[in-house]
Amino acid sequence: MNIQRFHAPTARQALAKARMAFGDGTLILSNRPTPEGVEVLATAEDTLGRFDGASAPSAQPAPPVLPVRNAPAPGPGRNPVEEDAERLSMSTLSFQDYVRERMLRRRHEASPEAGNGGQAPAAPRRGRGAPAPGADPAPAQRQNHAMHELQTMQALIEERLDTLAWLGQAGQNPIQSQLMLKLIRAGYSPGLARALLERMPPALTPAQAVRWIMQTLELNLRTEADAPALHERGGIFALTGSTGVGKTSSAAKLAALCARSHGAASVGLVTLDNCRAGAHEQLRAYGRTLGIVAHLAHDRAALQDLLGLLGGKKMVLIDTAGVAPRDPRRRELLDMLELPQVQRLLVLNAGCHGDTLDDMLGAFRSAGPQQAILSKVDEAVKLGPAIDACIRHQLVLRAVTRGQRGPEDWERADAQQLVGASMRAPARSAFDPKAADLGFFFAHSPASGHPEGQGHA
């Protein structure tokens, strides 16, 4: 199914380009304004005509044709992305049949004739002004419901057609196709990978394209490299996050850095973790090696008193209890930290899955700039998911930690170093996609729901 995009400053020029490509039988699928002008999505009428027989309505609603995971290897001379696009086009047409048949069946079941063998019942005599018995009380509701289904179907079809066009263009550009596969294998999300490749300038050599991708990722990964380091700037910081991400170890490393530069008397340590066995003792043991006393606060009032007592310190670090994103105690913990002078540092495990990072970022979001520390970088097989989450959620990545040693395992976040490490090819994994699988990654938009009976890869 040959679907192409045409860009031009005006709609007339874009339509002219489409007619030059497909002739008089040009079918315009959609158009939308872009920063450069107008984008038109078009195909040829005879291309759609070949599927007329397959899309004819049947007596029973046809189930949607789902992508096949164990598809045979593409034959010689065939582009795997084009084959994915062809499978997706058949799925889109079958889905149209499915939605149309479902709407017709529901409309038939809701009609008065459906329960009387196809014949309308005789209307009994009634007085003037009396409502007809059996009259439909809410015809507008059925009409609005049908309009909602049509709009949902239209949005899903437009999204699928847009995906087909994009996959077709990627198939015609081997550099773009290989970069797309490289980004997905590195752990970056399909949404970010597509956004990057759609903005990549054309006519780049392979080396230039890779360099452009990496530079764009570096520019979008906020690290504030020109700002003073945390231990030099000072302030009150609360380290938050889920259980086991390394909050206490990160607090100890940051305290050691500040103590080494400004003396042990410049650092204050407070823990709010009175749930985990030995949590206070762990921070107290770290403090003893640095000559710093670690204090325990049981509630918000005690925390305010301690912060007033430690007000003359250059840096005060608050170690919090680890709670899961859906733990009801999370809200209570965050409310304790709602103090004007307290800044939050969200500690993220660099080895976590992208969905886990998204869940944690949504649960621990706070007002103002979001600051984060990437921990356990040495344990992460792929850094792509963590960098992807930082970019999409617009975090300010202040530092990375590795290992269990002291301040030598604390590093300022370097965007170039992190992106370079994420794009280096790791060892082959059973979870790595192949070129023929890319259609599955880009076939569904997260913003649109799943229709009844349809799954996704």
Side-chain angles (χ1 to χ4, degrees):
M1 188 173 183
N2 188 11
I3 302 175
Q4 296 185 23
R5 288 180 183 172
F6 300 93
H7 299 269
T10 64
R12 185 184 299 273
Q13 295 175 356
L15 293 175
K17 288 184 177 181
R19 290 194 179 96
M20 288 178 62
F22 296 112
D24 295 334
T26 301
L27 179 63
I28 303 300
L29 301 175
S30 67
N31 64 83
R32 64 184 180 91
T34 64
E36 295 79 17
V38 178
E39 178 189 271
V40 168
L41 197 66
T43 188
E45 289 183 355
D46 56 355
T47 305
L48 295 178
R50 284 179 291 180
F51 300 101
D52 285 344
S55 61
S58 58
Q60 297 293 332
V65 180
L66 303 181
V68 181
R69 293 179 183 272
N70 54 346
R78 292 296 302 276
N79 191 308
V81 179
E82 291 178 357
E83 292 191 351
D84 288 339
E86 183 177 343
R87 287 198 299 271
L88 285 172
S89 67
M90 292 298 295
S91 176
T92 303
L93 292 172
S94 300
F95 173 69
Q96 296 178 39
D97 297 341
Y98 168 73
V99 175
R100 180 168 58 249
E101 289 296 328
R102 186 178 63 176
M103 291 176 59
L104 291 175
R105 185 176 69 253
R106 288 185 177 179
R107 188 173 300 173
H108 175 71
E109 292 173 353
S111 63
E113 295 83 357
N116 196 30
Q119 297 182 359
R125 291 188 177 184
R126 53 188 172 89
R128 180 179 300 178
D136 192 348
Q141 292 183 1
R142 288 209 314 270
Q143 182 178 1
N144 291 337
H145 182 70
M147 289 297 298
H148 176 70
E149 286 199 352
L150 286 172
Q151 291 171 357
T152 303
M153 179 181 67
Q154 179 184 3
L156 183 57
I157 291 175
E158 287 181 354
E159 188 271 330
R160 290 293 178 89
L161 291 174
D162 184 67
T163 299
L164 290 175
W166 189 80
L167 286 172
Q169 288 184 352
Q172 297 171 6
N173 187 340
I175 296 177
Q176 192 179 57
S177 180
Q178 289 300 316
L179 280 176
M180 179 168 57
L181 186 60
K182 184 177 181 65
L183 286 168
I184 297 299
R185 282 177 173 169
Y188 288 92
S189 65
L192 182 61
R194 178 171 175 175
L196 287 170
L197 296 173
E198 283 181 339
R199 291 163 175 78
M200 188 174 69
L204 295 180
T205 65
Q208 291 173 338
V210 172
R211 188 160 50 248
W212 184 90
I213 289 289
M214 296 182 66
Q215 289 175 350
T216 305
L217 288 171
E218 294 166 12
L219 288 174
N220 285 275
L221 180 59
R222 300 174 57 191
T223 59
E224 292 191 358
D226 298 332
L230 288 177
H231 65 281
E232 294 293 344
R233 190 179 72 177
I236 303 176
F237 297 95
L239 282 74
T240 61
S242 187
T243 306
V245 295
K247 297 184 298 298
T248 305
S249 299
S250 298
K253 293 170 184 175
L254 185 54
L257 279 174
C258 188
R260 188 170 63 181
S261 300
H262 306 283
S266 65
V267 185
L269 289 177
V270 179
T271 179
L272 304 181
D273 192 353
N274 55 5
C275 302
R276 183 167 54 96
H280 181 213
E281 293 301 325
Q282 182 182 5
L283 188 65
R284 180 176 291 176
Y286 282 134
R288 279 198 299 266
T289 61
L290 301 173
I292 303 171
V293 177
H295 304 273
L296 174 64
H298 293 278
D299 52 25
R300 182 187 177 97
L303 176 61
Q304 287 179 308
D305 291 342
L306 282 174
L307 292 181
L309 181 66
L310 301 174
K313 305 289 186 180
K314 182 175 182 62
M315 173 174 282
V316 178
L317 299 173
I318 305 172
D319 183 27
T320 64
V323 290
R326 286 168 295 280
D327 193 318
R329 295 175 299 172
R330 175 186 58 84
R331 186 68 265 167
E332 179 183 353
L333 171 65
L334 297 180
D335 289 341
M336 286 183 62
L337 301 175
E338 288 294 337
L339 298 172
Q341 67 271 34
V342 176
Q343 305 177 59
R344 296 188 199 171
L345 286 173
L346 179 60
V347 183
L348 300 172
N349 185 344
C352 281
H353 190 274
D355 291 337
T356 304
L357 293 171
D358 277 349
D359 194 23
M360 191 181 304
L361 287 167
F364 288 91
R365 178 167 296 278
S366 61
Q370 309 293 309
Q371 302 184 85
I373 299 172
L374 205 58
S375 67
K376 305 186 179 183
V377 175
D378 55 323
E379 300 178 12
V381 178
K382 295 180 180 180
L383 288 176
I387 296 176
D388 180 279
C390 292
I391 292 175
R392 286 186 294 103
H393 291 268
Q394 299 181 348
L395 298 179
V396 180
L397 190 59
R398 303 309 306 265
V400 297
T401 67
R402 64 184 78 239
Q404 298 295 323
R405 297 178 299 174
E408 57 269 23
D409 285 335
W410 177 283
E411 300 175 7
R412 294 194 62 176
D414 186 311
Q416 183 177 6
Q417 181 181 5
L418 289 170
V419 171
S422 72
M423 294 295 286
R424 282 194 286 271
R428 288 291 180 180
S429 166
F431 301 96
D432 285 345
K434 298 179 174 58
D437 301 330
L438 290 177
F440 301 153
F441 283 87
F442 294 92
H444 173 68
S445 172
S448 58
H450 299 290
E452 292 179 9
Q454 183 172 359
H456 67 98

